[in-house]
C-alpha cells in the first residue's frame, strides 16, 4: 500500500465558508524540518487569538490618540508658563522689574506743554520718570522692608516709611522719582510687593533763573504758582504748543547776578530787579532774591518763595519824585526851565519835620530838585496841584490798583483812602513816603513817563513783533520829552552818577526809603535802596528797576548805604551786560546831537530869582517838631 502524500492546504474542506489562516510552526520545529530536508507545514491560528490581536490593535490606536492629546496639553501648559515667566512675566516682581529695566524706553507723551523764553530757550518741560510703589497688603514685615529700601534710598525717614508700608492699603507711593541706579538697586533686592510705576516730573533746566515767574506744579502736575498756575489749563490741553514767554534768559541771568552781588556786597536781606521793554511793556527779566531751585520747591523757605517784585510792597522813596515832577509839568503848575522852589528851611506839620538829606539849604531850580533829590522841592511841586489832582494822577499811572500781570502773586498797594488824602499825605507822597507799591508798579509807571506818555499793562507773554499794544496816555509827548532830559540829568550830575554806562545814555532816579515796622512807624537803620531808569534816553528801548532790601554800609561805600551807593552800581552792571545782548550799539557819549537831545541845565538860564506863585501858594502850617524825617536820595 502506497503512502499517500499529505493533503495540500487547498484540499482542506472549508467550514462555514471561511478559510482558516495557516498557522505557523514553532521556530525550532521549522529548523528541524529544514535540516531533515522537509518543507514545514503551515499551522492554523485559533479564532480567539485573532480576536485578541484585533483588540490589541484597537487599543494601540487609542493609546496613540491619548498620548497625542496629553502631549498637546503639556505643550500648551509649557507655552503658558514660558509666557508668564519669560515673555510677559507677572510674577515674581523682581523678574518683571528686571525685564522692564533692560527694555528700551518707550515713548511717553508729556501731559503738560513746555514753557520757553522769547528766543525758544527751554524754561520748563515734563520728563518721564520712574516712581517706587508698594502694596502693604503683601508685605509681611514692613520694618524689614523699610531697612532694605533704605540701603538704596538712605534719604527716606525710617519711621515714616514703616508707617507707610503698614496697614491695609493696597497701594502707596514710596518715592516719586528714582534714578536708574536706584531703580536697579531696588530690583536687586527682590522684594515682593514693591513695584515701579511710570510717572512724570516737571523739570526746570534753568534752575533758579526765573523761578518766581515760572512758579511750580504739585506732585500730580497741577500748577501751584506763577505761570504754571495762571496757564494751567492751557498747558494741559495744548500739549504740542510751547508757551512762549517774554523773558529773555540772558537778561534774566545778568539781572539776577547783579542783584545778588549787590545784596552780598552790602549784606542785604533781599532784593528785586525788573527789565521791561519800554514800548511794549514786555517783561524781559524779573528777579526776586533770595530765590530757590525750581526743581526742589520742598526745600524752599517762605522767604525764598516770596516774590518781592510783584508781592512786596515798599515805600518807593525818591523814585516817586519823577511822578511828582511829571504831574507838575502835565498840570502846568510848574515849568522845568523857570520854576524854583524853596528848599532853604524845613517844613513842619504838627509833630513832623520835613527836611532834605544833605540839603542845599537854598532855593532850587526844577532840575535841581530831581538832581539833588530834594524832599522840600518835591513837596512844593505837589502844592502847586494839590491832593486831589495828585491822587488823580497816581490813579491814572496805575499806582492805586493791583498791577495787571499774568501771575497770581500780585499785591494791592497800600495807599490812604480818598477821604483821608489830606495835605500832609500829599506832601509825603510827593517824595515817596506814606504810600507803598510794588517794584513792578514803579518800573511800569516810569516806563510810561519815558516812552512818550503811554501806560501799557506789563506782560509776561511774548508779543508779536511789530504789533503795537494798546495803552492809555497819562502825560503828553512834550512832558515825556522833558522828563527824559531830567532823568538823564540825575545820572550825569545827580545822585545816580555811579549808574552811568558810557554810550548808552541811561537816565533814572534813585530812592532810599526807611522801612516800616509790622505795627507801623519807621525802623531805625533799615531801608530800601532802589533805582528806576530807562535807556538810551535819546530813543528809549528798555526800562530798569533795581532794589536792595536793607543794605548795610561798608568800607567801599564810605559808610553810606543809600541808593546812590548801593542800587546805582548794580544798575550799571545790568546795563553793561544786557545792552550788547539786546543788540544796542553804544553811541559816542560826546555826540553833540545826542547830548543836546538828552540834556537840560541844572540851572536853566532865565530862571526867575523869586519863586513862582503856584509853588508857594500853599504855605505849610508851622508848629514845634517832635520828630524829624529826611529821605536820602
Amino acid at each position: 500500500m502506497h503512502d499517500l502524500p499529505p493533503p495540500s492546504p487547498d484540499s482542506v474542506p472549508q467550514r462555514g465558508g471561511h478559510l482558516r489562516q495557516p498557522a505557523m510552526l514553532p521556530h525550532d520545529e521549522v529548523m528541524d524540518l529544514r535540516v531533515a530536508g522537509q518543507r514545514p507545514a503551515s499551522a492554523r491560528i485559533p479564532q480567539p487569538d485573532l480576536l485578541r490581536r484585533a483588540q490589541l490593535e484597537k487599543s494601540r490606536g487609542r493609546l496613540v490618540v491619548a498620548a497625542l492629546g496629553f502631549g498637546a496639553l503639556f505643550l500648551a501648559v509649557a507655552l503658558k508658563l514660558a509666557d508668564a515667566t519669560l515673555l510677559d512675566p507677572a510674577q515674581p516682581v523682581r523678574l518683571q522689574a528686571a525685564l522692564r529695566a533692560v527694555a528700551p524706553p518707550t515713548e511717553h507723551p508729556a501731559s503738560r506743554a513746555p514753557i520757553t523764553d522769547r528766543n525758544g530757550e527751554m524754561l520748563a518741560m515734563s520728563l518721564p520718570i520712574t516712581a517706587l510703589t508698594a502694596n502693604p497688603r503683601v508685605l509681611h514685615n514692613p520694618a524689614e522692608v523699610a531697612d532694605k529700601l533704605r540701603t538704596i534710598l538712605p534719604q527716606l525717614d525710617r519711621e515714616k516709611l514703616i508707617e507707610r508700608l503698614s496697614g491695609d492699603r493696597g497701594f502707596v507711593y514710596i518715592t516719586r522719582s528714582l534714578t536708574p541706579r536706584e531703580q536697579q538697586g531696588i530690583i536687586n533686592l527682590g522684594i515682593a510687593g514693591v513695584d515701579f510705576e511710570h510717572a512724570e516730573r516737571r523739570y526746570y533746566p534753568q534752575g533758579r533763573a526765573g523761578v518766581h515767574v515760572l512758579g511750580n506744579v504739585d506732585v500730580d502736575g497741577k500748577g501751584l504758582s506763577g505761570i504754571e498756575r495762571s496757564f494751567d489749563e492751557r498747558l494741559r490741553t495744548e500739549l504740542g504748543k510751547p508757551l512762549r514767554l517774554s523773558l529773555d534768559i540772558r537778561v534774566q541771568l545778568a539781572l539776577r547776578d547783579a542783584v545778588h552781588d549787590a545784596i552780598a556786597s552790602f549784606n542785604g536781606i533781599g532784593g528785586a530787579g525788573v527789565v521791561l521793554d519800554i514800548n511794549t511793556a514786555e517783561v524781559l527779566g524779573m528777579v526776586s532774591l533770595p530765590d530757590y531751585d525750581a526743581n526742589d520747591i520742598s526745600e524752599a523757605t517762605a522767604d525764598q518763595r516770596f516774590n518781592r517784585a510783584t508781592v512786596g510792597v515798599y515805600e518807593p522813596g525818591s523814585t516817586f519824585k519823577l511822578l511828582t515832577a511829571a504831574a507838575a509839568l502835565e498840570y502846568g503848575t510848574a515849568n522845568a526851565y523857570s520854576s524854583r522852589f524853596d528848599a532853604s528851611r524845613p517844613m513842619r506839620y504838627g509833630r513832623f519835620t520835613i527836611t532834605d538829606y544833605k540839603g542845599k539849604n537854598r532855593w532850587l531850580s526844577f532840575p535841581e530838585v530831581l538832581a539833588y533829590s530834594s524832599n522840600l522841592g518835591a513837596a512844593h511841586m505837589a502844592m502847586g496841584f494839590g491832593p486831589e489832582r495828585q491822587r488823580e494822577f497816581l490813579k491814572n499811572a496805575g499806582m492805586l490798583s493791583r498791577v495787571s500781570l499774568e501771575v497770581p502773586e500780585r499785591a494791592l498797594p497800600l495807599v490812604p483812602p480818598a477821604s483821608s488824602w489830606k495835605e500832609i499825605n500829599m506832601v509825603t507822597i510827593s517824595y515817596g513816603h506814606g504810600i507803598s507799591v510794588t517794584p513792578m508798579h514803579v518800573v511800569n509807571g516810569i516806563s510810561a513817563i519815558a516812552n512818550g506818555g503811554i501806560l501799557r499793562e506789563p506782560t509776561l507773554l511774548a508779543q508779536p513783533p511789530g504789533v503795537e499794544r494798546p495803552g492809555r496816555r497819562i502825560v503828553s509827548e512834550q512832558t515825556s520829552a522833558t522828563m527824559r532830559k531830567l532823568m538823564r540829568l540825575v545820572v550825569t550830575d545827580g545822585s545816580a552818577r555811579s549808574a552811568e554806562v558810557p554810550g548808552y545814555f541811561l537816565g533814572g532816579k534813585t530812592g532810599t526809603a526807611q522801612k516800616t515796622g509790622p505795627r507801623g512807624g519807621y525802623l531805625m537803620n533799615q531801608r530800601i535802596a532802589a533805582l528806576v531808569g530807562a535807556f538810551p534816553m535819546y530813543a528809549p528801548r528798555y526800562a530798569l528797576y533795581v532794589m536792595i532790601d536793607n543794605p548795610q554800609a561798608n568800607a567801599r561805600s564810605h559808610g553810606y548805604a543809600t541808593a546812590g551807593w548801593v542800587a546805582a552800581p548794580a544798575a550799571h552792571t545790568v546795563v553793561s551786560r544786557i545792552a550788547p545782548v539786546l543788540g544796542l550799539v553804544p553811541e559816542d557819549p560826546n555826540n553833540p546831537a545826542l547830548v543836546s537831545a538828552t540834556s537840560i541845565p541844572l540851572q536853566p538860564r532865565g530862571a526867575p530869582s523869586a519863586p513862582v506863585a503856584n509853588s508857594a501858594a500853599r504855605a505849610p502850617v508851622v508848629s514845634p517838631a517832635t520828630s524829624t524825617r529826611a529821605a536820602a536820595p
Side-chain angles (χ1 to χ4, degrees), residues 335-353:
N335 184 284
Y337 292 90
S338 59
S339 296
R340 300 181 68 201
F341 305 93
D342 185 7
S344 62
R345 55 191 178 126
M347 298 173 65
R348 295 183 177 88
Y349 279 87
R351 61 188 180 89
F352 296 103
T353 299

Side-chain angles (χ1 to χ4, degrees), residues 102-454:
V102 299
T106 58
E107 290 294 330
H108 181 74
S111 63
R112 197 170 183 86
I115 302 174
T116 70
D117 80 339
R118 64 187 305 108
N119 301 313
E121 290 293 328
M122 194 64 66
L123 301 179
M125 59 192 301
S126 295
L127 297 176
I129 58 172
T130 300
L132 182 62
T133 66
N135 182 356
R137 293 176 182 172
V138 302
L139 298 177
H140 302 295
N141 192 334
E144 181 182 349
V145 173
D147 290 337
K148 287 183 178 180
L149 291 176
R150 291 186 73 251
T151 62
I152 307 300
L153 304 171
Q155 70 273 20
L156 297 178
D157 182 89
R158 184 177 185 274
E159 299 303 322
K160 292 182 179 179
L161 182 56
I162 294 174
E163 180 182 357
R164 185 173 297 180
L165 297 176
S166 304
D168 194 39
R169 292 173 294 178
F171 179 89
V172 294
Y173 279 107
I174 298 175
T175 182
R176 295 276 185 161
S177 177
L178 289 175
T179 66
R181 179 172 295 180
E182 290 171 340
Q183 182 180 1
Q184 187 59 52
I186 293 171
I187 291 171
N188 294 337
L189 294 176
I191 304 173
V194 174
D195 201 0
F196 304 99
E197 181 184 82
H198 289 300
E200 188 175 275
R201 180 181 180 182
R202 198 66 165 167
Y203 178 61
Y204 302 92
Q206 304 298 335
R208 296 173 179 268
V211 61
H212 293 95
V213 176
L214 296 171
N216 289 97
V217 297
D218 61 16
V219 293
D220 297 317
K222 184 178 180 181
L224 289 177
S225 59
I227 290 292
E228 294 279 22
R229 179 176 176 181
S230 297
F231 292 90
D232 185 64
E233 183 176 356
R234 151 73 172 83
L235 292 168
R236 285 174 177 268
T237 56
E238 301 182 31
L239 303 181
K241 183 179 179 182
L243 181 63
R244 183 166 166 259
L245 301 186
S246 60
L247 293 184
D248 187 320
I249 194 61
R250 302 168 300 176
V251 174
Q252 183 75 16
L253 291 171
L255 182 62
R256 184 187 183 279
D257 288 346
V259 176
H260 179 272
D261 291 347
I263 294 172
S265 297
F266 293 93
N267 294 317
I269 63 173
V274 180
V275 174
L276 206 66
D277 187 306
I278 205 169
N279 297 311
T280 65
E282 292 174 276
V283 179
L284 302 184
M286 187 172 79
V287 168
S288 175
L289 293 175
D291 55 14
Y292 61 95
D293 188 344
N295 297 297
D296 193 11
I297 188 176
S298 62
E299 297 297 322
T301 65
D303 190 40
Q304 290 173 325
R305 292 195 298 267
F306 183 72
N307 187 352
R308 284 173 161 80
T310 61
V311 180
V313 288
Y314 311 95
E315 289 195 347
S318 296
T319 59
F320 241 46
K321 290 171 184 172
L322 293 177
L323 294 174
T324 300
L329 294 175
E330 189 66 16
Y331 288 135
T333 58
N335 184 284
Y337 292 90
S338 59
S339 296
R340 300 181 68 201
F341 305 93
D342 185 7
S344 62
R345 55 191 178 126
M347 298 173 65
R348 295 183 177 88
Y349 279 87
R351 61 188 180 89
F352 296 103
T353 299
I354 299 171
T355 63
D356 282 342
Y357 179 79
K358 293 191 173 183
K360 299 297 181 180
N361 300 316
R362 60 177 175 84
W363 289 78
L364 300 176
S365 67
F366 194 114
E368 285 180 317
V369 170
L370 294 180
Y372 302 144
S373 197
S374 171
N375 298 335
L376 296 171
H380 283 294
M381 277 188 193
M383 287 180 178
F385 47 79
E388 293 182 2
R389 288 203 284 183
Q390 181 191 50
R391 190 177 190 279
E392 177 188 23
F393 185 86
L394 294 179
K395 181 180 180 180
N396 290 337
M399 298 296 152
L400 308 186
S401 58
R402 204 183 306 269
V403 70
S404 177
L405 196 65
E406 297 92 348
V407 290
E409 301 82 19
R410 294 170 293 120
L412 191 67
L414 302 178
V415 301
S419 59
S420 302
W421 201 298
K422 306 300 183 182
E423 186 169 284
I424 179 60
N425 303 102
M426 174 200 69
V427 168
T428 59
I429 290 173
S430 71
Y431 54 83
H433 290 72
I435 185 173
S436 295
V437 296
T438 70
M440 187 61 70
H441 279 94
V442 178
V443 68
N444 196 49
I446 300 307
S447 175
I449 296 296
N451 71 5
I454 304 299

Side-chain angles (χ1 to χ4, degrees), residues 38-104:
Q38 299 180 5
R39 180 180 178 182
S42 297
R44 300 183 185 276
I45 301 176
Q47 183 66 23
D49 291 340
L50 294 175
L51 294 176
R52 193 180 305 113
R53 180 171 293 182
Q55 290 176 354
L56 290 175
E57 293 295 336
K58 187 176 181 179
S59 299
R60 182 183 302 140
R62 290 177 178 175
L63 289 174
V64 170
V65 173
L68 291 176
F70 279 108
L73 179 62
F74 281 114
L75 179 61
V77 172
L79 292 175
K80 181 62 178 177
L81 289 174
D83 178 68
T85 58
L86 297 176
L87 302 178
D88 187 19
Q91 293 292 340
V93 173
R94 178 178 177 181
L95 179 59
Q96 179 188 16
L99 292 174
R100 284 205 306 265
V102 299

